[in-house]
Amino acid sequence: MLRIAIDKIDSLFDAIAEKQTLYIPVDREDGAAEYKKYESGMKMSNSLNTLRSAKDFFFPQTENLVEFKMEGKQIEVKDIREESEDFVIFGVRACDARSFSILDKVYLVDPVDSFYKNRRDHGVVVSMACTRPAETCFCSAFGIDPTAPEGDVSCWNDGSYIYFEANTEKGKAFVDSISSLLEDGDASSLENVKAETKRILSLLPLSNLSTDSFGGDKLNEYFNSEKWAELSESCIGCGTCTFVCPTCQCYDIKDFNTGNGIKRFRCWDSCMYSDFTKMAHGNPRISQLERFRQRFMHKLVYFPANNNGEFGCVGCGRCLSKCPISMNIVKVMKALEVK
Amino acid sequence: MQVNDNKEFQPLIVAFCCNWCSYAGADLSGTNRLNYPTNVKIIRVPCSCRVNPMFILRAFQRGADGVILCGCHPGDCHYTSGNYFTRRRMTLLFSMLDFLGIERDRTRVEWVSAAEGAKFAATMNEFTEAVKKLGPNRRLEDLRCKKQ
Amino acid sequence: MNANDTLIPHIGVVTDIRIDTPDVKTFRVNAINADGTVGGKVFEHMPGQCAMLSIPGVGEAMFSITSSPTNKEFMEFSIKKCGCLTNWLHAMDVGQQITIRGPYGNAFPVETELKGKDLLFIAGGIGLAPLRSVINYVRDNRANYGDVQIVYGSRSMDDLVDYKEIIDEWMTDDGIEVNLTIDREQEGWDGHVGFVPNYVKELNPSLNKTVLICGPPIMIKFTLNGLKELGFTETQVYTTMELRMKCGVGKCGRCNIGNKYVCKDGPVFRFDELGELPDEY
Amino acid sequence: MQEAMINKAKQLLADGTVNRVIGWKKGEFVYDITPAIFETAEELDADFVYNEFTAANVSKYLVKESKKEGKILAFLKPCDTYSLNQLTKEHRVNRDNIYVVGIPGGPKLDAEKIKAKGITGITGIKNENYTLKIETVYGEQTMPFYEAISDKCASCKSKKHVTYDELIGEDGDVLESNRFDMVEKLENMTAQERYDFWRAELSKCIRCNACRNVCPACTCEKCVFDNPESGVENKAASNSFEENMFHIIRAFHVAGRCTDCGECSRVCPQNIPLHLLNRKFIKDINSLYGEYQAGEDTTTKAPLNAYTTDDCEASIVHERGVE
Amino acid sequence: MQRIGVFVCHCGTNIAATVDVKAVAEALGHEPGVVISREYQYMCSESGQNLVKDAIKEHNLSGVVICSCSPRMHENTFRKAAAAAGLNPYLVEIANIREQCSWIHKDIATATEKAVILGRAAIAKVHLNAPLTAGESPVVKRALVIGGGIAGIQTALDIAEAGFEVDIVEKEPTIGGKMAQIDKTFPTLDCAACILTPKMVECSQNEKIHIHSFSEVTDVKGFVGNFSVTIKKKARYVDETKCTGCGLCTEKCPMKNVPNEFNMGLDNRRAVYIPFAQAVPKVATIDPNYCMMLKTGKCGVCSKVCSVGAIDYKQQDKFIEEKYGAIVVATGFNPIKLDKYEEFAYSQSPDVVTSLELERLMNAAGPNGGTLLRPSDKTHPHTIVFVQCVGSRCDDSKGKPYCSKICCMYTAKHAMLIREKYPDTEVYVFYIDVRTPGKNFDEFYRRAVEQYNVHYVKGMVGKVTPKSDGKLDVQASDLLANEQLHIDADMVVLAAAIEPDKTARPLATMLTTQMDTNDFFTEAHPKLRPVESATAGIFLSGACQGPKDIPETVAQASAAAAKAIGLLCKNSITCNPCVAHSNELMCNGCSSCEKVCPYGAITYQDKEFRMPDRTTAIRRVASVNPAVCQGCGACTVACPSGAMDLNGFSNSQIMAEVDAICK
């Protein structure tokens, strides 16, 4: 298996960054990790995961879609799309790596979202297997193996070396492009690392979380559950869970009048927001209960209903640590679960 | 922001003037043909207390380099107390902008009575110069509104 | 990046504005051709499909295309004044350009399930707009369909959309029965007076008809109950929905009812399909 | 304490004083505690919790709850009582429908601070003589208790309950706090340094609105930033201006009303020290217009709704401190 | 989509000389919503207005922008024109391209560019203007006159004459003011009392006039047509309704050494006193600072001698609240204090007096019974020096920058009277300029010089030094002869500057009227509205507005009365529609707006609402009384949710202007 010694990782990053934009997770001053554009000298974070998910690379918080010039009765449409630059995201965890395939099922199905596709086509996802999962992790519940992450390229760290394995054509090309810096080596030590990680996984408090009772077939049953009232009563209707979530993909389209033209942009939106579904003549989801229900129904029921049973959650645990009032999908699942 | 032929930086100054004192003061400086720079554009408000901090930020967003608020002298407010509220609001707002590292000289409150045409012109001259020295507003700009 | 993206709209030109009722206007929209001339349609559609119209900086909203696909010259939109954008549209003059993207959503199954069937159209108020597209499509392909009955009601005579077309064209067509009603007695009106659901019951249409219904939610609810009382089944009745649609392509996440996206899986639903969905509309 | 609270709640439910209780409900881990409403003794026994992680200020929920039928029992920490008083002053709650039991406050712990030490896989936390013994799937870890204290409690301003119907335990005093230290530190930086500091912080903002939605002073029927009619509606922190705009205006809107409960910074998923903006206003108000503590009472005029004829001029900003 | 008409005024060459008006009209014609853009010589002329009216009709305009002079000049003109053409007058906006553009800039290119931007801002604003309808509010048919001097008296008499109730509030125990203290008036030399006292009596006898003497205004609420005024009737310890003014108490009071302010402290009165014989109301007043009974509880002489039992030592200040439709301010003037003018030895020598003191010294009812004697030794003065402009036309902080206007004439009068009565007395007048612009004024002054041989010396007195022989050494310079003079004077009379009464400033705050830096009330417009304040329903009478002599004061008093009568004649007045309003759906009921409203225009109600979640809720919401609101907008900023907005200056309108300017 191709590998590089951990103490040489900087030279690898330098080499990649020379050719294309490289993003790696780095530690912030407040201790949280975030993806940053690599510059020589940056140290990769040892954190389990970044505070914000990696979806930003393909589905940024805001992006301009199109511009208009208005004059008299005339409107001029300006297509401002540009070919994305090639880039590499290094160190994506298994949960986030899976999230891309979920986003793909939204943005790459007909009609294809060219803005998303553009970035997706030009981005190489290099994932990294987990070794120190946290108590908030529950990716296993969604069939994700954190010791075998998806991505164009998968990586493992045994403490001395980082091992590379390409999974896609794009990934292969990437590994080829850095192969001069890699060496072939014995990967047997990884088995121990994986086994240890799996042992830890089994000890995690959420290890026994089951998705068995969820899916598209119990739509009305869950929709009409009496539990929603109690679950949603303390929800403050902010968008934290949505915005840290790697799979939440709702957006709003808005116009910004610059004074010299209109910029039409899209930005993240949250189904938890009170005006998310508001329209000129009313709002179909009038209470926080309905909005709260929408979010979890979408992940646990609607998404699987439309996508062959695949859930719209990857168990990254971000919402578990970030929700201001500590309400989250795990609590919802446990409360709703039909025994 | 506007750039004239000799490329000297020409700041855009938005002046909010209360209808009763400062707007009349501005009129008087016109009546007396007292020059002040074209950079200054006046917006008439009934009272300085009508000026919402949002208007000031909005001006900076849209490309203003300086915002000045003019009202009746304390005690002379046409509405008795409006400018006293203005004074507190703007003191706190400006202090907050300062706290965020926005240049202090981009904002100002000045009391100009209807009789102080000369003061109005002098204030505008002085303020425009002060803003000119700072250069274009960068710290509170909205790049989307930047002129191509 | 040459691929078309549906989020990037086309330009349409408003070439005619017809005042239908005090709060409904019908706008004729043409495309701008490559040579700069104005004419033809911005895109083709099927009856029941929608388009996103927008005035940049004012707003963007989904409207059903009220003209029939058989009309090759232009598209029409009947729009009721109810918000920021529609106010703006109502105030504009002929010659105004707008942005338009689409077509979005599914259509009434005019080429499949509806083919050869006797059709009953039930509309209330501005609800006629999407059905008009189907009615005219049926009229232009008359041989493919059986009897056509139209029940249309509105608050008053002045609120009947497309009244002139109804009187001059639909009523004069053979094999089309038009039943108009208004909510309250009015001078100059010698037709039926009463609410649509009751009128439908009174008319007692034959049970072999396939029903297409559109109107205010309360009208749909009562009419459907009435139809059921008469013996109709949910599989015979189609409607078209309206929920907040933003992207038009089932991605932005706001128009779903259960797992269905109105903008993509709808807006046309058969009632038995709707019955499977959560009660959230 | 938890025991005493549950007993008190049961008693008040039983004697009909209240028909609901707002408190905290235990979660999956030791720290993920959710504010919740309890209606029966059974629910209280099963889920009610009060410990080092019950930091959430429940007073904002009372805006809605106090308008419902019947009286609700609210357990309020000293800092929470200031929020309630401020809401009462602004007629946002119906105080008559609330039965306040004052409970001793913090210091509360912040799980993020424990995690920031690299401690993960947490399955249990115990405080033994101000050393936290943390059980994890990776073995037991320890850290000093004080290092895990949440920011809001680390600069506690008061242990005094300013409104209550009943107290459990002794009432405390208003404290000399160090809460303005960081504001002062920033004030003493150069404008460029301050600008860089805030750019770095505010650029992290993802506009999740958690700070606003949790804030007991932000109870507007419709926030200007959500209202398309307001002309300043904005949904995303599209650029540095909008990041500034939202936080400046939000701080301005709560200036003179913010009780400094610290919830904004507690809930910020990006750890932006938003409370510093509020504290800057509080500090300015105190120094320019006299000491004022929002929520201390329900009658005094908020400093921005009042004036004196000899207030300082706005130019004081230009005259003092570091440029 | 709006249909906006833009009209650019040349204002002759006032605008057109520095602004390319054609280019402005052309540029603004391209702005969104503009359907017609024209320029014209004089927009405010009738044909200019017709241009607007015709365009409104022809193009079915939904908004009009006039680029012209200040809206303070002609906003109303164009609003009326729009209304005449059927367009709501509040759909008109003015872009001020004269005072704020053409008159202050010289470069045509930049001035034109600025004019376009100002026009653009007005267009952006007018896009969002809403048609407004002015409400009406009733007029209370009663006037308040604050100050009972000749100005107040005349105003009150005129208003009463027109048939309206009128109250006079006078802070002194009697009306009459300064004129009562004056001996003779210029230029006719007739007796002041002979003119004034009949008017005072008329006031007391007129059924429509109610005099609140020894009273002060302490609070003013409300607005034009509907003021609510709190008047403090200070305790005078004498029951006004019982006192007959017999004066017995003032003779028997044992406290004899109270400085008599009516005689400028030149003699004494008792602790209980009637200021002067013709006082109106003729009622005694006890001075609590000197009355033994009030101070120590021992005495009670006055009470014993009063046959009608009018003395009431327990009397308290009384507050009454009255409603008025109009308020006339007539607070008058005072001579400035001269303690800063040590060079004139005013505080060192009793023989240095002010002109007003001289009036009393020469008055038959004065301390010397009308014989002019030196205060120090009661001897006849043989040399009198008058010093003009003491504190007037002064550029330092000791005095006033303005000319006190009346000094030249009263000094000529004094000099003439002295020379007439005491021909052996030499009179010197030191002046900077002699200003006599009034009917028969210059003739009067020339008589003093030519007929009465008063020595007018152009020059300033440098120093007055009391000498050991009781004389005063006056050092002065004669500018015309260019020499230094020393005059041995028996008396020196200082023409002290006059200043507004000290009560005027707090009153102005209560009335929300403006004052200039000298504390004179500011008229709404010096030429167009000289007797009105900028605050509707408040009128200015007499010297409170600026220095005036008696004829001018009386003329202005009548003018103010006429304006007040004009208001009182109306049954109702049109309100300003540019007032605040609250969007109840967004209102939090937090009371912030109420706390900053200076007019108490905001109240709260509990109302039932259908909430967005389809429940109903009772919510506390603000509502604005449009008749009380004056439209300052303080509430709009205090309101965090933006529920409170201001008609005519809405949040969106102002932001649209900001956007247009910064575009």
Side-chain angles (χ1 to χ4, degrees), chain A residues 244-271:
Chain A
V244 297
C245 177
T247 65
C248 269
Q249 43 64 223
C250 292
Y251 61 77
D252 197 0
I253 298 177
K254 294 196 137 325
D255 288 352
F256 179 78
N257 190 338
T258 67
N260 295 295
I262 312 289
K263 285 186 198 290
R264 180 163 289 174
F265 65 101
R266 85 167 149 202
C267 58
W268 292 354
D269 203 346
S270 173
C271 54

Side-chain angles (χ1 to χ4, degrees), chain E residues 188-210:
Chain E
T188 47
L189 293 182
D190 43 1
C191 153
C194 307
I195 318 169
L196 178 67
T197 50
K199 284 191 184 285
M200 291 164 63
V201 173
E202 225 181 306
C203 280
S204 73
Q205 288 176 349
N206 193 314
E207 286 178 356
K208 300 269 181 198
I209 300 179
H210 315 274

Side-chain angles (χ1 to χ4, degrees), chain E residues 460-479:
Chain E
M460 200 53 208
V461 170
K463 197 163 173 55
V464 176
T465 321
K467 297 204 298 182
S468 52
D469 61 358
K471 296 232 174 198
L472 298 158
D473 173 36
V474 178
Q475 270 180 56
S477 52
D478 180 339
L479 290 174

